[in-house]
Amino acid sequence: MAVRVLPQQQRAVLVAMANGLSVGETARRLCLAPATVKSHRRLLYRRLRVRSGAHAVATALRVGLLDPDDIRVPVGGERP
């Protein structure tokens, strides 16, 4: 895998995906349009050569683009 660094917004979208946020929630938290979040997700899938969000997160963890500390485990059913 040739990807070593992600642009800041793509990494923020990846972290949101890892934390289970929807496109709408991600857009609100990052102050982006939902279409922009979807675009970043498509670019991530292409860069990582994956077809799903779960596969993108797993691959990013495996290749070191995502740190396990970026993933927050919700307590009592809370959203991260």
Side-chain angles (χ1 to χ4, degrees), residues 1-6 44-50 55-56 58-65:
M1 173 116 349
V3 178
R4 297 204 195 292
V5 178
L6 292 174
L44 282 166
Y45 289 6
R46 189 176 312 139
R47 280 175 166 242
L48 298 173
R49 298 181 183 157
V50 299
H55 195 187
T59 299
L61 283 166
R62 184 172 43 79
V63 300
L65 289 173

Side-chain angles (χ1 to χ4, degrees), residues 11 14 18 48 54-71:
R11 187 174 189 295
L14 181 61
L48 298 173
H55 195 187
V57 170
T59 299
L61 283 166
R62 184 172 43 79
V63 300
L65 289 173
L66 190 61
D67 191 293
D69 292 337
D70 292 328
I71 302 171

Side-chain angles (χ1 to χ4, degrees), residues 12-51:
V13 169
L14 181 61
V15 169
M17 288 169 53
N19 284 290
L21 298 182
S22 69
V23 169
E25 290 169 323
T26 301
R28 282 188 292 281
R29 288 192 184 193
L30 299 179
C31 299
L32 298 171
T36 302
V37 173
K38 289 178 184 178
S39 176
H40 284 312
R41 288 172 67 115
R42 277 192 304 273
L43 290 169
L44 282 166
Y45 289 6
R46 189 176 312 139
R47 280 175 166 242
L48 298 173
R49 298 181 183 157
V50 299
R51 292 185 177 203

